[in-house]
Amino acid sequence: MGVIKKKTVTRGTEGGVKYICDVCSADITNTVRIRCANCACNDYDLCVPCFASGSSTRDHDTKTHSYSVIEQHSIPIYTKDWGADEELLLLEGAELYGLGSWSDIADHIGGYRTKEEVRDHYIETYIESSKFPLPERANPKDDSLREEMPREKFQARKKRRIEERKEAAKTAPPATPKQKPTASVPACHEVQGYMPGRLEFETEFANEAEEAVQHMQFDPGDGINPRTGEVEPEMELKLVVMDIYNSRLTARGDRKKVIFEHGLLEYRKNAALDKKRTKEERDLLNKAKPFARMMNHADFDAFTSGLEYEHNLRQAIAQLQDWRQMRVGDLKSGEKYEQEKQQRAARPAPTGSFDRFASVRSITKPTPPIETPSATTALTTPELPERLKPPVLNMPKGPLTNGTANGTLTPSKTTYTVPPLGSNSSPRLTNENATDLHLLTKEEVELCNVLRIMPKPYLAIKESLLKEAMKAGGMLKRKAARELAKIDVTKSGRIFDFFVHSGWIQKA
């Protein structure tokens, strides 16, 4: 079984590394043990009785394998109250768990050592030593401490200390372990992804910054050419990458500083304050947030309060100007005017049978305001702008056709030339052979003459294509037009091209 490294559940117990006999499973931690030195037996330990009787298990051969006698190193070497075995376990635990994990290191040492004892001993013995990083009594020939504190006296004191702390642990009330949050969610704290114990986030700013330097190594003497004494290009590249990495860490720290400085992690408090503000105040605060990186919390609060005060003043001034224009002279009349104004805005506009479509058009597509020239434009232009005059349109004589809408002529376009289909022996359309010819424009009449389509079927095809295009916002595919027309493929294609050229539909 060899070495058993057992992490105890409760902090501050005997714990530590346990050595068990591989034959009889007896605890030989605090006694002399025999260790096999052959490479075939890894961590193979025997107690003295099993070794004396020649017992063995697994691949151990008592006749051919060499061995070593390991005594208990319970003697002081650096301080009076710490033995050599505890010093060795201290350094081993620091290497395993890292400096700062004093609770884990104390459990690794065992002997009811507390994390405060371990931390203070390490700092006083190793850090504050005048021979740093070595302790004061690092000289192997220094036997003054062993003469002052013999082995028997030290072991008796250690046994007494362990017994006293064991009795104290039995009588002490059970300590409630601190429950750590199992996940970084709002149930444990207000902001998801934030780890308050480490003051870090699961996804940091420039979260992939460490990937560029995670495999980078700097060994002593690297980077300098021994012949020229200059820095090698590879080392210069590494230094540039490290500068980029440090700049990203600085930017990450600056953003964390803004978060902690302005209390952005207090989500519930900030949400409650945000609900009390109006929509205009929230928009104004969001626009001012970039300035928070350059101010502390008190200055930013004063700055945003001033902006809100200015915004409220501007609203009050605009309201007073509206009252003056409407001949409102006192506050009481002004309150009445505002109430009636809100009632008028909430009241739906009356719609009749004739103005139904006009009201829908006014709601869906408001009329853009007329842009009046500003004073700056009037001063910079060489001449004053002329007054806008209604355009004079030459109205056509006779009945209106499809080419006009509400008496307004459509803008002139290039004439669409219909490609011929081949030999056309049919007579041209006239009012005698086509009764609905007056409903078509000149271009449509020419289209029907070339395609040999009568006006009534053409108008039916036109209606179906325009209705389908209106469903898709004025867009239509050539294939869909072909399926709707239900005529010759070439003729439907000519009609589709004519509609696209006229601007009635658009290609999808």
Side-chain angles (χ1 to χ4, degrees):
M1 293 178 66
V3 180
I4 297 178
K5 296 181 180 179
K6 181 178 65 174
K7 278 294 296 295
T8 54
V9 179
T10 308
R11 300 292 188 188
T13 57
E14 189 172 359
V17 180
K18 300 293 183 182
Y19 293 95
I20 306 298
C21 178
D22 283 87
V23 176
C24 64
S25 300
D27 187 1
I28 54 176
T29 305
N30 299 319
T31 60
V32 178
R33 65 181 184 275
I34 311 299
R35 167 160 290 192
C36 180
N38 192 285
C39 59
C41 300
N42 186 21
D43 291 338
Y44 191 87
D45 297 304
L46 295 173
C47 62
V48 175
C50 292
F51 176 75
S53 61
S55 303
S56 64
T57 57
R58 297 188 298 180
D59 298 332
H60 179 67
D61 188 0
T62 57
K63 298 179 181 179
T64 59
H65 287 188
S66 58
Y67 62 90
S68 59
V69 180
I70 300 178
E71 298 183 8
Q72 185 67 20
H73 303 299
S74 186
I75 52 174
I77 55 175
Y78 299 146
T79 58
K80 295 181 180 180
D81 54 346
W82 279 71
D85 53 348
E86 293 177 316
E87 298 285 356
L88 184 61
L89 292 173
L90 170 61
L91 298 178
E92 183 181 349
E95 183 180 1
L96 286 174
Y97 306 110
L99 288 177
S101 303
W102 304 116
S103 298
D104 295 330
I105 298 174
D107 289 345
H108 184 76
I109 297 172
Y112 289 91
R113 291 288 186 184
T114 63
K115 62 179 183 179
E116 290 80 8
E117 280 185 291
V118 176
R119 180 194 59 206
D120 296 341
H121 174 73
Y122 184 84
I123 294 175
E124 293 174 0
T125 306
Y126 297 93
I127 304 298
E128 297 179 354
S129 172
S130 60
K131 300 178 182 179
F132 177 82
L134 298 176
E136 292 288 347
R137 294 186 173 89
N139 190 357
K141 298 180 181 180
D142 187 2
D143 298 334
S144 59
L145 190 60
R146 280 176 246 177
E147 295 176 356
E148 183 179 353
M149 181 67 65
R151 179 194 295 268
E152 294 77 10
K153 183 178 180 181
F154 176 79
Q155 291 182 354
R157 289 181 57 181
K158 180 180 179 181
K159 185 177 180 181
R160 185 167 60 251
R161 174 177 57 82
I162 293 176
E163 294 295 333
E164 291 176 357
R165 296 192 178 184
K166 186 183 294 186
E167 293 296 329
K170 291 180 180 179
T171 57
T176 304
K178 183 179 179 182
Q179 297 293 333
K180 295 183 179 180
T182 56
S184 179
V185 294
C188 303
H189 39 268
E190 297 184 15
V191 179
Q192 184 175 359
Y194 173 63
M195 295 171 282
R198 301 173 58 180
L199 300 179
E200 293 180 356
F201 296 88
E202 290 183 1
T203 304
E204 295 279 357
F205 173 76
N207 202 40
E208 296 81 12
E210 284 76 11
E211 294 181 359
V213 297
Q214 62 180 348
H215 299 299
M216 192 177 295
Q217 295 181 356
F218 291 90
D219 296 329
D222 286 353
I224 300 178
N225 194 333
R227 298 179 180 178
T228 61
E230 297 179 355
V231 180
E232 295 181 352
E234 184 180 357
M235 179 58 67
E236 292 181 354
L237 178 61
K238 287 184 178 181
L239 294 177
V240 170
V241 174
M242 288 302 300
D243 290 339
I244 296 173
Y245 173 64
N246 290 330
S247 64
R248 291 180 178 177
L249 290 185
T250 303
R252 183 186 297 175
D254 292 341
R255 281 160 173 78
K256 283 185 181 180
K257 183 179 178 182
V258 173
I259 293 174
F260 298 145
E261 172 70 24
H262 296 278
L264 300 181
L265 294 173
E266 300 176 0
Y267 175 75
R268 294 185 180 89
K269 179 181 177 181
N270 295 333
L273 293 176
D274 203 33
K275 288 182 180 179
K276 297 179 181 178
R277 300 186 179 97
T278 61
K279 183 180 181 300
E280 292 80 8
E281 291 176 350
R282 288 196 295 268
D283 295 340
L284 187 64
L285 182 61
N286 290 332
K287 292 179 181 178
K289 281 182 178 179
F291 295 97
R293 299 179 62 182
M294 300 175 285
M295 304 179 184
N296 56 29
H297 187 58
D299 293 343
F300 183 70
D301 279 347
F303 175 66
T304 53
S305 299
L307 291 179
E308 292 178 1
Y309 183 65
E310 179 189 2
H311 175 71
N312 295 333
L313 284 180
R314 290 181 181 274
Q315 283 187 336
I317 291 173
Q319 188 180 34
L320 290 175
Q321 290 176 348
D322 187 22
W323 288 4
R324 177 183 292 180
Q325 186 178 2
M326 302 305 296
R327 307 288 183 178
V328 177
D330 53 3
L331 290 176
K332 187 175 181 181
S333 302
E335 293 176 357
K336 183 178 179 182
Y337 167 72
E338 292 294 334
Q339 292 177 359
E340 294 177 353
K341 185 178 178 181
Q342 293 178 0
Q343 292 175 1
R344 287 195 300 271
R347 188 184 308 158
T351 56
S353 59
F354 293 98
D355 59 348
R356 180 171 68 253
F357 299 104
S359 62
V360 171
R361 284 196 299 271
S362 63
I363 294 174
T364 56
K365 190 175 182 181
T367 305
I370 300 175
E371 296 183 359
T372 57
S374 62
T376 307
T377 309
L379 292 175
T380 55
T381 51
E383 297 179 359
L384 294 176
E386 298 182 358
R387 293 181 176 273
L388 298 176
K389 297 180 181 180
V392 180
L393 300 176
N394 296 324
M395 301 298 294
K397 297 180 181 181
L400 298 177
T401 62
N402 269 7
T404 60
N406 297 330
T408 305
L409 290 175
T410 57
S412 60
K413 296 182 179 179
T414 58
T415 305
Y416 178 75
T417 304
V418 185
L421 294 177
S423 60
N424 189 358
S425 60
S426 60
R428 295 184 63 83
L429 299 176
T430 60
N431 291 327
E432 286 76 17
N433 58 9
T435 56
D436 299 325
L437 191 62
H438 66 280
L439 299 176
L440 306 181
T441 61
K442 293 181 180 180
E443 291 81 6
E444 289 177 318
V445 172
E446 184 64 22
L447 178 68
C448 291
N449 278 323
V450 174
L451 300 182
R452 290 172 289 197
I453 301 177
M454 297 301 289
K456 186 173 291 186
Y458 166 78
L459 291 175
I461 294 172
K462 178 180 178 181
E463 182 181 4
S464 60
L465 294 182
L466 293 181
K467 283 184 178 180
E468 187 66 20
M470 290 299 294
K471 294 179 182 178
M475 309 289 288
L476 189 66
K477 293 183 178 180
R478 185 183 293 271
K479 183 179 179 182
R482 188 187 309 159
E483 294 174 357
L484 291 172
K486 297 180 181 179
I487 58 175
D488 184 65
V489 176
T490 307
K491 294 182 180 181
S492 63
R494 300 285 194 276
I495 295 174
F496 180 81
D497 294 336
F498 175 76
F499 285 2
V500 172
H501 180 268
S502 301
W504 298 340
I505 62 175
Q506 296 180 1
K507 287 185 179 180

